[in-house]
C-alpha cells in the first residue's frame, strides 16, 4: 500500500491550496480516509475524515468551513481543498487510510500513511 500526497506549497494568508492523496495497492472506495497535519515538535492532529462509500465527512473544529475533503473513485484519490489559509495552518499534511474504527481524530486508528506534503502560510 502506498499513499502519495502532493499539492503542498507556500502561500500567503488568505490563499488556497488543493492537496491530493493518490493511493496504490489499496482501494479508497467503500473505505475511509483522512487528512492529518503535524508541526515539528507537536502531536499529529486530525483535519478531516471521509467515509468514501457515502461521502460522509467530518472536520476538526478549527477547520471552520474553510476545508473540504473529497474522494474521486475513478482516480482512487482523496483531496483536501483548503481556503482562507492562515499562518497557523502551516504544517506537514498527511493522508491516512485503513481506519480501524473508534475516534476518527486519533492517528492510532489508521494503519496506512503517506509521507506528507508541506504547507507553509505566511
Amino acid at each position: 500500500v502506498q499513499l502519495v500526497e502532493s499539492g503542498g506549497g507556500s502561500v500567503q494568508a488568505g490563499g488556497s491550496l488543493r492537496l491530493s492523496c493518490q493511493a496504490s495497492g489499496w482501494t479508497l472506495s467503500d473505505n475511509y480516509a483522512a487528512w492529518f497535519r503535524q508541526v515539528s515538535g507537536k502531536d499529529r492532529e486530525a483535519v478531516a475524515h471521509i467515509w468514501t462509500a457515502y461521502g460522509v465527512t467530518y472536520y476538526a473544529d478549527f477547520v471552520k468551513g474553510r476545508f473540504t475533503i473529497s474522494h474521486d473513485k475513478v482516480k482512487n484519490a482523496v483531496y483536501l481543498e483548503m481556503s482562507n489559509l492562515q499562518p497557523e495552518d502551516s504544517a506537514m499534511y498527511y493522508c491516512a487510510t485503513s481506519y480501524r474504527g473508534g475516534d476518527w481524530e486519533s492517528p492510532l486508528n489508521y494503519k496506512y500513511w503517506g509521507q506528507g506534503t508541506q504547507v507553509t502560510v505566511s
Side-chain angles (χ1 to χ4, degrees), residues 37 46-48 58-69 80-84 89 104:
R37 69 185 189 183
V47 177
Y58 299 91
Y59 295 95
D61 290 343
F62 64 79
V63 169
K64 297 179 182 177
R66 300 180 298 131
F67 298 176
T68 301
I69 187 171
L80 185 68
E81 298 268 4
M82 305 187 294
S83 63
N84 192 22
D89 294 316
W104 74 267

Side-chain angles (χ1 to χ4, degrees), residues 9 12-14 22 29-31 53 55 57 68 73-74 80 92-93 102 116:
Q12 292 188 335
Q22 181 67 53
S29 298
D30 301 329
N31 215 311
T57 58
T68 301
K73 182 176 182 178
V74 174
L80 185 68
M92 185 72 79
Y93 282 72

Side-chain angles (χ1 to χ4, degrees), residues 35-47 62 67 85-94 107 113 115-121:
W35 286 95
F36 283 75
R37 69 185 189 183
Q38 187 171 25
V39 176
S40 181
K42 295 189 176 182
D43 292 338
R44 192 166 295 190
E45 67 175 348
V47 177
F62 64 79
F67 298 176
L85 285 162
Q86 301 300 314
E88 53 267 32
D89 294 316
S90 297
M92 185 72 79
Y93 282 72
Y94 298 91
W113 293 84
Q115 293 300 305
T117 185
Q118 179 68 42
V119 171
T120 302
V121 186

Side-chain angles (χ1 to χ4, degrees), residues 20-23 28 70-79:
S20 300
C21 173
Q22 181 67 53
L28 291 171
S70 62
H71 165 247
D72 187 318
K73 182 176 182 178
V74 174
K75 295 183 178 180
N76 198 29
V78 172
Y79 305 96

